Amino acid sequence: MERDREVIETSSFKLKGPYINIVENTLKTVRAELKDTNTYAKNRNLKLIKKGKDGSFTEYAFIHNGYEDIRRYMNIRLRNRTEELINEYFAKSETQN
């Protein structure tokens, strides 16, 4: 989203302000939620480590109390879920203004 903001700023949009405001508000919300999530994980001794990525999958290790669980996720699914979350955050941004 930060790269998207840069693209909007350098684009030929006539009215960039509204788009930049939506992205900025969304980034603010995402950063706050990420901070809460990191605090939650730290307090409960949880770790998430990205192990690797190939053409179709990304592998993550979830670690809790000495136990490790390796999971593989399809990259297309990760991308689609990211799009869903961005849409939710944009919708939240609209209702906050």
Side-chain angles (χ1 to χ4, degrees), residues 24-89:
E24 285 292 332
N25 289 337
T26 302
L27 279 170
K28 184 178 176 182
T29 304
V30 169
R31 286 181 184 127
E33 289 189 16
L34 181 59
K35 183 179 177 186
D36 292 344
T37 300
N38 287 337
T39 301
Y40 177 90
K42 185 176 180 180
N43 290 340
R44 286 159 183 78
N45 201 27
L46 302 169
K47 292 183 183 176
L48 172 66
I49 301 170
K50 184 176 180 180
K51 299 290 269 186
K53 183 176 181 178
D54 63 22
S56 300
F57 292 91
T58 301
E59 188 172 86
Y60 292 93
F62 297 89
I63 302 169
H64 181 255
N65 291 335
Y67 294 98
E68 184 173 317
D69 184 21
I70 305 291
R71 302 230 178 152
R72 292 172 46 95
Y73 296 94
M74 289 185 68
N75 293 333
I76 188 84
R77 177 66 186 124
L78 293 172
R79 189 197 76 212
N80 290 343
R81 181 63 182 142
T82 301
E83 280 187 20
E84 291 172 15
L85 289 171
I86 288 171
N87 282 323
E88 289 177 26
Y89 283 114

